[in-house]
Amino acid sequence: MKRILFFIVFLAALFLGVGLWKTFQNRILIVPEKVEPVKTAEYFQESQHAAENDKKGFSFENVSFIYDLDSFSDPKGEVVPALLMNDETSKPDGYHPRYIEISLKSNLTKYSNDKQTNSFVTINVYPVEEYKQAFSVSEAYVKGLNHDFAKLNKILENPSIIPASNLNQLPYIEYIDASQIFHARAKVLNFQTGMGFIYLTQYSFEAYFFCINNQDMDYVFQGLTSDNKYFVQIHFPISSKEMPESADDVKNENCDLPKDMFETDKNSELYKKYTFKIARKLDKMPPEKFTPDLNKIEDLIHSLNIK
């Protein structure tokens, strides 16, 4: 009798053990089905931005980005038709292939001749090879573009070669009849599908000594997609309370032009010293001391996606 009872208890324990094992095994097998799939860094970034009420996404053609609503508004995109150079003796500025242009209204207000004007950010995306083809009638201009693209690539590969001195012209792909009078805060930035570099600068269209000022300062970004298929150029109008409003504001205490600059034969040398001093001043200023906040600008660039 005892043997029969023991056998019954043994069988019950065996069946119970098998049942528990199957239940445990089944639980192990269904765990992977409940685990969320691994998310990419881009997914997390997009989710984070989507959860923030002060940001909004914009997409046009093959370009998309996320922008800060307190700093920018009303983005609009358009496809600009090609304007090809057809005479190698022509000045090169103004010619281009078909490209994407996106504009955003900035929260920054500029003043010119005491008149208030809206400021606009411009984002231009060009196909690299078509850009060169737009100047194909001139071997010299195509060679110049290849040289500038090579300089841009060298900076992206080795940011340490960005010249610290404002006396060196940084590469600027677009042909313009102007030159940089200074640069500050130059550094390399990644975006979703590539890399570029950004710097604070002001361009001079004539040989004239004037204050570095809010009316003319830009935060300029130039970059290439990882496959070198597209080139992007962005101009962010920028200002600071530490700077005079316009070039004519020579009496402003923030102008800092040498008092005797126009009374000596050392104008050029004095002006170089002045621009270097202002560049170093701008280098040391916190990002939030500018309008728009430089951090908000760089966030927009980091989110940029060009397919």
Side-chain angles (χ1 to χ4, degrees):
M1 185 69 181
K2 288 183 179 179
R3 288 183 177 180
I4 294 174
L5 183 61
F6 175 79
F7 184 69
I8 293 172
V9 171
F10 173 77
L11 288 176
L14 181 63
F15 285 121
L16 179 62
V18 171
L20 289 173
W21 168 249
K22 286 185 176 181
T23 302
F24 177 69
Q25 191 178 38
N26 286 339
R27 286 184 180 179
I28 291 176
L29 291 174
I30 64 175
V31 166
E33 298 175 8
K34 292 183 178 180
V35 172
E36 292 295 325
V38 175
K39 302 293 195 302
T40 63
E42 184 177 355
Y43 174 91
F44 282 120
Q45 186 176 32
E46 289 176 354
S47 298
Q48 180 184 1
H49 284 305
E52 296 175 358
N53 295 326
D54 61 344
K55 294 182 182 293
K56 189 174 182 180
F58 178 77
S59 180
F60 179 76
E61 296 286 326
N62 62 332
V63 182
S64 62
F65 56 87
I66 298 167
Y67 62 97
D68 180 79
L69 291 170
D70 290 332
S71 302
F72 311 106
S73 63
D74 199 23
K76 295 178 181 178
E78 66 171 313
V79 178
V80 181
L83 181 59
L84 308 181
M85 188 177 183
N86 54 22
D87 184 350
E88 63 179 333
T89 63
S90 300
K91 291 179 65 176
D93 44 316
Y95 296 107
H96 51 76
R98 179 182 181 273
Y99 70 94
I100 302 299
E101 179 173 282
I102 299 171
S103 65
L104 296 91
K105 188 180 293 184
S106 172
N107 68 352
L108 172 64
T109 300
K110 294 276 190 175
Y111 295 89
S112 179
N113 297 323
D114 296 325
K115 292 182 179 180
Q116 178 177 322
T117 59
N118 290 323
S119 297
F120 290 89
V121 177
T122 55
I123 303 173
N124 294 337
V125 178
Y126 305 94
V128 171
E129 291 307 314
E130 284 86 340
Y131 197 97
K132 297 174 185 178
Q133 286 298 314
F135 300 88
S136 60
V137 296
S138 170
E139 183 179 344
Y141 288 140
V142 173
K143 185 177 180 180
L145 285 172
N146 284 328
H147 177 71
D148 284 340
F149 275 117
K151 285 174 65 178
L152 176 56
N153 268 308
K154 283 183 179 180
I155 286 177
L156 301 185
E157 291 169 2
N158 184 11
S160 65
I161 68 173
I162 297 176
S165 172
N166 62 301
L167 306 182
N168 298 93
Q169 296 284 302
L170 293 175
Y172 187 80
I173 302 300
E174 183 183 0
Y175 281 117
I176 57 171
D177 188 14
S179 58
Q180 299 163 13
I181 63 172
F182 85 99
H183 73 259
R185 311 184 76 94
K187 63 179 179 180
V188 168
L189 290 178
N190 291 321
F191 58 98
Q192 290 295 310
T193 49
M195 184 184 295
F197 79 105
I198 195 165
Y199 55 98
L200 189 62
T201 191
Q202 184 170 313
Y203 287 89
S204 173
F205 293 88
E206 53 187 39
Y208 174 70
F209 302 120
F210 52 79
C211 293
I212 296 172
N213 65 90
N214 288 332
Q215 180 64 30
D216 300 306
M217 275 199 307
D218 275 341
Y219 205 30
V220 178
F221 177 77
Q222 296 183 92
L224 291 166
T225 53
S226 299
D227 57 8
N228 282 316
K229 188 175 180 180
Y230 293 102
F231 162 64
V232 57
Q233 183 169 278
I234 312 178
H235 281 259
F236 295 91
I238 207 82
S239 75
S240 168
K241 292 180 180 179
E242 301 293 322
M243 302 302 295
E245 281 303 321
S246 71
D248 298 325
D249 198 5
V250 293
K251 294 182 180 180
N252 187 295
E253 62 180 349
N254 295 323
C255 180
D256 278 343
L257 276 175
K259 304 301 180 185
D260 59 345
M261 201 176 98
F262 300 101
E263 300 172 6
T264 72
D265 57 355
K266 298 180 180 179
N267 292 355
S268 180
E269 199 62 35
L270 287 170
Y271 192 65
K272 287 177 183 178
K273 290 180 179 179
Y274 157 73
T275 57
F276 187 82
K277 180 175 69 172
I278 298 301
R280 299 294 74 82
K281 174 182 176 179
L282 294 168
D283 278 335
K284 295 176 182 178
M285 288 172 52
E288 61 272 13
K289 290 292 185 180
F290 293 88
T291 303
D293 184 331
L294 301 188
N295 290 320
K296 304 291 181 65
I297 289 176
E298 292 173 20
D299 283 347
L300 186 155
I301 292 171
H302 287 313
S303 74
L304 183 65
N305 193 318
I306 303 171
K307 297 178 179 179

